[in-house]
Amino acid sequence: MHLDRPRFVMVVCTLATIVTAAWIYAQGLTGGFVFDDYANLPSLGAQGPIDNLPAFLRFITSGTADPTGRPIALLSFLIDGHDWPTAAEPFKRTNVVIHLLNGTLLAWLLFRLGGLLGAQGFPRAFAACVGAGAWLLHPLFVSTVLYVVQREAMLPTAFVLLGLHLWLTARSQVQRGRSEIGLLLGIPLLTLLALLSKANGILLPLLIVAVDSCVPPLASHDRRYRRLLRISCWPWILAVAAVLAWLAYRGIDNASAAYRGWTIGQRLLTEPSILWVYLGQLWLVLPTSGSVFHDQYVAATDLWHPLWTLPAILGLAVVLGMGLRYRKTHPALAMSVIFYFAGHLIESTSLPLELYFEHRNYLPGLLMFWPAALAAGRHFRARTAVAGAVILLTGMSLLSLRLVRLWNNPPAQALFWATQSPESPRAQAYAAQIEGAAGRADLGIQRLTKRQNNFPNEPQIALTLLDLRCQEGSVTGDDILNGANTLRHAARDPGRILLNWSLEAIEEAKAQRCTGLDNKAILTILDAAASNPIIASLPGRMQDIVHARGELALARGDTQSALEDFNKALALSPTPQAALEQAAALGRAGAPGLGLRHLAYFKTLPEPPGRGPSTAMAWLHDRVLERQGYWRNEIDHLNAALARDDRKRAQ
């Protein structure tokens, strides 16, 4: 295919940035998994390796991150692994490939949009290359690309880019009086694929309308085009608006406080300030650490606390208003502004997500650098513009390379994150754990004791400190009391941290590797947690506590008490998975008969209300398990094994 000079310049420049980005990210491929990777990827082996169709169907419907289950993202993980544990490098390599593909699609999109706005020659090619290159090489996105689970943010971006290309092609076809199938079928299909990768993929139709609002109308067939656009895009847009409004209405006064520590209303007040932080980082005014821990961000309590809450809201309103006002006179700039705000509509409004995450800018930031590059290409001499672009992209590349190398060095990365975020309890606990794993528990203890007063009610800090003291050989009564007080007064749900710590502590106590950590000490921690009214209000967390008590009873050889505790825990949430785990534990402890009694007790419990079709993928997953008879087969298999062991013991 013949390439004219602007296209040739754009292709060569884009290839150069892609090669540069590939080389930079290659330096980070051997780093390991982190944080939420361990919460999501073990499903690859949760029910055995994925090596047959029934296992595949169970896995692909097992997602819980949002109602869709993100099956496209789950499917993509099978490219890199079919079991767990597994190596991180293939997953990271695939992430890099997707990022490079997105950068290529973006460069071509910006080139096409430039032509639509009348840019020609050097300015058009220069803006496409630099706009895409700055996005591709930006240090803010290092944590998106090398954080394996954030493929869930990259895949919808790929489908959005494909959707925008399809829209441009369909728009051109309609203008020529040709087929309209691209708008009528293609946009909804790509929206569905993006949505099944992550919930913010549903924004594709809104982003198309946002871009379309800034480009000149069609010279012919414009009325037909507008009608087709309404049919293909507006139903999705109205659905998004209705869901977000409903969530805001339902959540404005009630709490995610037990889980997040703030209400939805407080989140809505806080996000404008965080959007300003994002913008500062995108324009390299504010540094980014590439951290995955951002619990140091505190929610606004009202318009005046903190002081910048109201100015931040008003400032964003002014910027968005100017973007809407000048979308015909300054279309490229207005397009980037409107696109950025529209891209944040899902993750920065009324969904009860954590307050801050860098990856949320991956999609909204696509057009961020293009208007400035377009203006530079038009108003500066070519040599001056190119020199400025080379300096900018080189600076971004060096900053990204620094972060990429950190991602390849987990100990240095953990210490860097802790230094950059001294107010983040997760970052401090993670750094202390890394120090402990390196054989320097003393450094981890020093780190956490210095900051204990800053985090008086943070279970992760208290429990990590107990782990490190055990690694040193002993805990004191004061250590146990401090841990118990922290759990008693914790201001939010500690999550699975409490159960995981308890099970590991029981093993430590059983092996007598830690002086002062015995069954009584562990029970003190569990009782303190159970006395916390927030924890006591959560059936799932109370089930964890009662289950841990049962494990403690097993550790001291009291299988009858263990059965009673397991029965109580199971009654709180009678799931077949919990019943199987507890019955198997009784069997391993030499009491297969009690394991059989526990499974029999499970069958007497009322079946919990099934998850309805409104829960989307969760409902479908339950139907898959039911159709396969999965839990029935697992229970029958364990029943047979326990009965066999019980007969042997009786002989």
Side-chain angles (χ1 to χ4, degrees), residues 430-511:
Y430 180 64
Q433 288 165 350
I434 292 290
E435 287 168 327
R440 294 304 308 270
D442 57 316
L443 294 180
I445 292 169
Q446 184 180 350
R447 172 184 300 281
L448 297 186
T449 51
K450 278 198 309 186
R451 292 170 172 82
Q452 234 179 340
N453 290 335
N454 297 335
F455 309 120
N457 299 320
E458 283 291 343
Q460 189 169 10
I461 296 291
L463 297 178
T464 301
L465 188 54
L466 284 172
D467 284 340
L468 293 170
R469 292 204 184 279
C470 266
Q471 193 172 323
E472 290 270 273
S474 66
V475 295
T476 67
D478 286 343
D479 294 330
I480 298 298
L481 287 177
N482 287 337
N485 284 332
T486 299
L487 269 299
R488 186 176 291 109
H489 300 294
R492 55 185 171 184
D493 176 15
R496 295 283 293 182
I497 294 171
L498 177 59
L499 179 61
N500 293 339
W501 177 86
S502 300
L503 297 180
E504 290 172 11
I506 290 167
E507 292 302 314
E508 288 283 321
K510 205 186 311 183

Side-chain angles (χ1 to χ4, degrees), residues 2 12 15 37 60 65 80 124 140 171 228 250 257 285 292 308 335 420 469 476 488 510 527 550 580 634 644:
H2 172 71
V12 171
L15 282 174
D37 289 340
I60 209 68
D80 311 305
R124 182 185 183 190
L140 189 64
R171 187 179 190 274
L228 294 172
R250 287 293 302 270
V285 176
V292 301
W308 52 80
M335 191 185 298
Q420 294 297 307
R469 292 204 184 279
T476 67
R488 186 176 291 109
K510 205 186 311 183
D527 289 345
L580 285 165
E634 291 292 302
R644 186 167 57 250

